[in-house]
Amino acid sequence: GEDVEQSLFLSVREGDSSVINCTYTDSSSTYLYWYKQEPGAGLQLLTYIFSNMDMKQDQRLTVLLNKKDKHLSLRIADTQTGDSAIYFCAESTSSGGYNKLIFGAGTRLAVHP
Amino acid sequence: EPEVTQTPSHQVTQMGQEVILRCVPISNHLYFYWYRQILGQKVEFLVSFYNNEISEKSEIFDDQFSVERPDGSNFTLKIRSTKLEDSAMYFCASSQWAERESYEQYFGPGTRLTVT
């Protein structure tokens, strides 16, 4: 069945780059997403990538997709303390416009001075 | 910026009681969803809703659950007889059908349901 796996914890120093990794199983996934969840808050859509792309860059965020290995990564350049949050990878498949998101367990990013 | 809103932020109820969780999706969105996140676990899909009917539901979404869009703005999730294991954060989401951007789901802040 569909499954998304992520490492649970990442600690980085402020100013360094963070790389959060994710693997997924459903090869028919059309979109892959990164969501951010800050304490007590909902899920904020950060970025997404369509499955026919290899890379997408959006300011400090770079998403890399390796379809062959079913591997997705999110790189945050110049990580700041405000980036401390849980980051969720999610995949979706679409059938007739209806889709559901399958989430990973989330990676807790801790940024320290 | 438009956002999905949910009420209440926290609901405490006794086992066996009915609860209704409310959501106001983004106004021009056509697809609506409920997800839940049990503490310490993954966010799980419950149900998707389009054109006033359920388009897909998970095995979690049994006969105790129902969804409704009672008017042009609200989208509700009802749990008929709550169980302890229904305690979770419930997220509402919506998305807009558009040629290329249709699959971005925007989430509300969640309702924390505690069943005692």
Side-chain angles (χ1 to χ4, degrees):
Chain A
E2 304 143 332
D3 196 19
V4 177
E5 297 292 334
Q6 299 178 241
S7 53
L8 295 182
F9 189 73
L10 177 66
S11 178
V12 299
R13 188 175 304 167
E14 193 174 10
D16 287 351
S17 292
S18 308
V19 179
I20 303 171
N21 294 301
C22 168
T23 57
Y24 60 97
T25 57
D26 190 347
S27 57
S28 65
S29 290
T30 50
Y31 287 88
L32 294 135
Y33 303 82
W34 286 103
Y35 282 84
K36 177 183 180 183
Q37 186 181 36
E38 296 182 74
L43 299 167
Q44 175 195 354
L45 177 63
L46 279 181
T47 187
Y48 64 94
I49 189 166
F50 188 47
S51 57
N52 69 353
M53 299 168 66
D54 298 323
M55 187 182 87
K56 180 178 180 180
Q57 189 152 1
D58 185 0
Q59 299 182 335
R60 291 191 298 124
L61 305 178
T62 303
V63 179
L64 295 177
L65 175 60
N66 181 329
K67 278 194 73 175
K68 175 175 168 290
D69 295 336
K70 298 192 185 74
H71 183 266
L72 182 74
S73 68
L74 173 71
R75 179 175 178 269
I76 306 172
D78 187 24
T79 314
Q80 302 297 307
T81 53
D83 295 324
S84 294
I86 301 176
Y87 290 80
F88 292 93
C89 168
E91 63 172 349
S92 77
T93 57
S94 170
S95 173
Y98 313 133
N99 70 79
K100 64 183 181 186
L101 297 180
I102 307 296
F103 284 87
T107 299
R108 183 177 296 276
L109 174 65
V111 183
H112 55 88
Chain B
E1 187 174 323
E3 58 184 15
V4 177
T5 59
Q6 291 185 242
T7 54
S9 57
H10 191 192
Q11 174 89 47
V12 181
T13 190
Q14 287 190 325
M15 197 166 53
Q17 295 296 303
E18 175 184 285
V19 294
I20 297 176
L21 309 183
R22 302 179 193 280
C23 168
V24 178
I26 294 173
S27 62
N28 60 348
H29 284 188
L30 301 177
Y31 297 84
F32 313 112
Y33 312 84
W34 284 100
Y35 293 80
R36 78 172 186 190
Q37 184 181 29
I38 295 172
L39 189 64
Q41 297 187 24
K42 292 184 178 184
V43 176
E44 302 172 289
F45 169 79
L46 291 178
V47 66
S48 58
F49 190 86
Y50 170 70
N51 199 25
N52 279 322
E53 59 184 28
I54 290 173
S55 49
E56 186 174 358
K57 59 184 180 180
S58 72
E59 58 193 30
I60 303 167
F61 195 89
D62 61 22
D63 292 343
Q64 292 300 311
F65 290 87
S66 62
V67 288
E68 194 178 29
R69 189 155 160 81
D71 52 42
S73 60
N74 289 285
F75 179 51
T76 62
L77 173 69
K78 182 193 290 186
I79 309 174
R80 199 160 297 122
S81 176
T82 50
K83 303 189 280 285
L84 293 176
E85 54 265 38
D86 294 327
S87 294
M89 181 73 90
Y90 287 80
F91 292 107
C92 173
S94 68
S95 65
Q96 178 189 34
W97 176 262
E99 196 65 32
R100 290 183 64 83
E101 308 296 341
S102 57
Y103 303 115
E104 296 177 52
Q105 292 187 24
Y106 293 88
F107 283 73
T111 292
R112 179 165 297 285
L113 176 65
T114 303
V115 182
T116 62

